[in-house]
């Protein structure tokens, strides 16, 4: 079920909205948001719901563990065990066949015997996003950034929130914790105009711009051998715009849907193609992912605190992981390495680069 589909616009959304605002208590609204999240998610494949429910339960119990136990070793177990479970689930469904394919290729290269038994598994929609949600919750609980919730339905509503479940933004619990706590007293009209504006704007990005560009760009790439140099440039730039408007449109619709239900979901894009440097680009593009990678990987690795070469290493590791997070393919790893290299080169030449005229930096970026 997509945000721009008829069943969503004229069925799921109005029913969910009307019933939600006719419920009076905070708990009933938690339950309704959690239930509708599972209905929305189960529209693709109801089996996916069981996996998300298991991940939700594991992370919720970890939160209760932080409230119950104060021994450092037990708290460390409450951190490591659920994160390991989440990552194993993600690794199995998203990366198992990728690993088997590479093992088969390596065995063939060295002449070893290897029986390539690829697994017949379906990649659950949005698993990367809700895994980030649960892991960020566990880490923030461990760090004391947030107090774990005792309300299972509140946490379940957070994880399964349909507006950001399958394509982001990646929403941390602390970002919407206050709105969740105040959900029973939320005013339907407070952010109504804002929510409609964001949703309609995102819908236009997706339908009028991204989908229209796809009509021209997709056929060009299917028959790329016949493209002239000018045609190849137009196809590449057209795809860049198609990708941006598609992803940004979906994220903007998610922000609008959040406002419609009394939740302030952070924006995920800020005119990234206006960026003045590779570093600036990553403060504007998929902001929720880049900030999570920064806070939960780059900074724990040491960030820029231990010298130049450590900084470069940490940047490259972070971007490689970011690339692999996008998909189980070496092209994504190369994409991450490419962006890591751009960030390193910018750090090497930032004084020279930042002295250039803004328009030149923008065009070069």
């Amino acid at each position: 079920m997509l945000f721009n589909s008829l069943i969503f616009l004229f069925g799921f959304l109005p029913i969910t909205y009307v019933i939600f605002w006719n419920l009076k208590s905070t708990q009933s609204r938690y339950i309704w948001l959690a239930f509708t999240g599972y209905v929305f998610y189960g529209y693709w494949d109801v089996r996916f719901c069981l996996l998300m429910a298991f991940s939700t339960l594991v992370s919720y119990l970890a939160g209760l563990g932080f409230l119950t136990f104060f021994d450092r070793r037990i708290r460390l177990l409450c951190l490591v065990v659920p994160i390991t479970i989440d990552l194993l689930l993600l690794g199995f469904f998203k990366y198992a066949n990728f690993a088997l394919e590479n093992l088969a290729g390596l065995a063939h290269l060295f002449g070893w015997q290897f029986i390539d038994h690829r697994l017949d598994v379906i990649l659950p929609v949005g698993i990367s996003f809700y895994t980030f949600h649960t892991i960020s919750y566990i880490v923030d609980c461990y760090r004391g950034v947030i107090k774990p919730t005792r309300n299972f339905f509140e946490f379940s509503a957070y994880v399964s929130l349909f507006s950001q479940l399958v394509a982001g933004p990646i929403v941390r619990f602390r970002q919407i914790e206050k709105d969740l706590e105040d959900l029973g007293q939320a005013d339907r009209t407070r952010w109504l105009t804002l929510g409609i504006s964001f949703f309609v704007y995102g819908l236009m990005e997706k339908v009028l711009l991204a989908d229209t560009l796809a009509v021209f760009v997709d056929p060009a790439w299917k028959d790329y051998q016949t493209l002239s140099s000018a045609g190849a440039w137009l196809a590449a730039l057209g795809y860049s715009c198609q990708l941006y408007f598609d992803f940004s449109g979906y994220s903007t619709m998610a922000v609008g849907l959040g406002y419609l239900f009394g939740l302030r979901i952070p924006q995920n894009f800020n005119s990234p193609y206006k960026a003045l440097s590779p570093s600036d680009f990553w403060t504007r593009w998929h902001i929720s992912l880049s900030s999570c990678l920064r806070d939960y990987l780059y900074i724990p690795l040491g960030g820029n605190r231990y010298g130049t070469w450590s900084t470069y290493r940490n940047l490259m590791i972070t971007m490689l992981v970011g690339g692999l997070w996008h998909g189980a393919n070496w092209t994504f790893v190369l994409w991450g390495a490419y962006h890591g290299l751009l960030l390193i080169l910018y750090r090497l030449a930032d004084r020279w680069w930042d002295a250039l005229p803004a328009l030149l930096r923008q065009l070069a970026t």
Side-chain angles (χ1 to χ4, degrees), residues 219-228 232:
W221 283 115
K222 286 181 181 178
D223 199 21
Y224 66 90
Q225 298 94 335
T226 64
L227 293 176
S228 63

Side-chain angles (χ1 to χ4, degrees), residues 49-293:
C49 294
L50 296 174
L51 190 64
M52 184 169 67
F54 177 72
S55 181
T56 300
L57 180 61
V58 168
S59 303
Y60 169 74
L61 292 175
L64 292 185
F66 292 124
L67 289 172
T68 306
F69 302 107
F70 300 97
D71 182 86
R72 180 178 167 276
R73 290 170 296 180
I74 298 178
R75 289 177 65 84
L76 191 61
L77 281 175
C78 290
L79 172 75
V80 173
V81 172
I83 289 178
T84 301
I85 291 172
D86 280 342
L87 290 177
L88 286 174
L89 289 173
L90 179 65
F92 175 76
F93 284 97
K94 191 169 184 177
Y95 301 105
N97 281 326
F98 176 63
L100 289 172
E101 289 170 8
N102 283 280
L103 283 173
L106 192 65
H108 179 74
L109 182 66
F110 288 97
W112 300 335
Q113 291 291 328
F114 184 84
I115 301 175
D116 186 4
H117 287 303
R118 297 184 188 179
L119 304 174
D120 184 19
V121 294
I122 302 173
L123 177 64
V125 175
I127 187 173
S128 298
F129 286 97
Y130 72 70
T131 298
F132 244 128
H133 293 151
T134 55
I135 288 177
S136 67
Y137 173 80
I138 294 166
V139 173
D140 284 350
C141 290
Y142 177 77
R143 291 175 174 174
V145 176
I146 58 173
K147 183 179 180 181
T149 178
R150 293 183 181 275
N151 191 318
F152 176 73
F153 290 107
E154 180 186 16
F155 183 65
S156 186
Y158 157 68
V159 176
S160 65
L161 191 63
F162 71 87
S163 56
Q164 44 78 63
L165 181 56
V166 297
I170 299 167
V171 181
R172 304 186 213 185
F173 186 77
R174 68 188 190 208
Q175 292 174 314
I176 60 170
E177 181 180 13
K178 186 178 186 306
D179 290 340
L180 283 170
E181 296 292 337
D182 297 339
L183 207 56
Q185 294 76 45
D187 181 356
R188 184 183 66 82
T189 61
R190 182 181 181 186
W191 294 319
L192 178 62
T193 303
L194 197 59
I196 293 173
S197 299
F198 269 101
F199 186 80
V200 171
Y201 184 83
L203 191 63
M204 289 192 295
E205 280 189 294
K206 167 68 175 133
V207 176
L208 298 183
L209 296 175
D211 291 352
T212 300
L213 282 168
V215 173
F216 300 97
V217 172
D218 291 351
W221 283 115
K222 286 181 181 178
D223 199 21
Y224 66 90
Q225 298 94 335
T226 64
L227 293 176
S228 63
S229 294
W233 271 104
L234 287 172
L237 293 172
Y239 177 70
S240 297
C241 292
Q242 176 196 348
L243 178 66
Y244 167 66
F245 287 123
D246 190 277
F247 197 3
S248 174
Y250 219 83
S251 293
T252 304
M253 284 189 280
V255 172
L257 289 169
Y259 278 123
L260 290 177
F261 290 87
L263 300 169
R264 288 169 291 183
I265 294 175
Q267 289 181 249
N268 209 21
F269 290 88
N270 180 23
S271 301
Y273 292 158
K274 292 181 181 178
L276 301 178
S277 69
S279 180
D280 187 26
F281 175 83
W282 279 105
T283 65
R284 296 168 173 265
W285 176 279
H286 206 346
I287 299 168
S288 61
L289 173 65
S290 58
S291 62
C292 278
L293 289 173

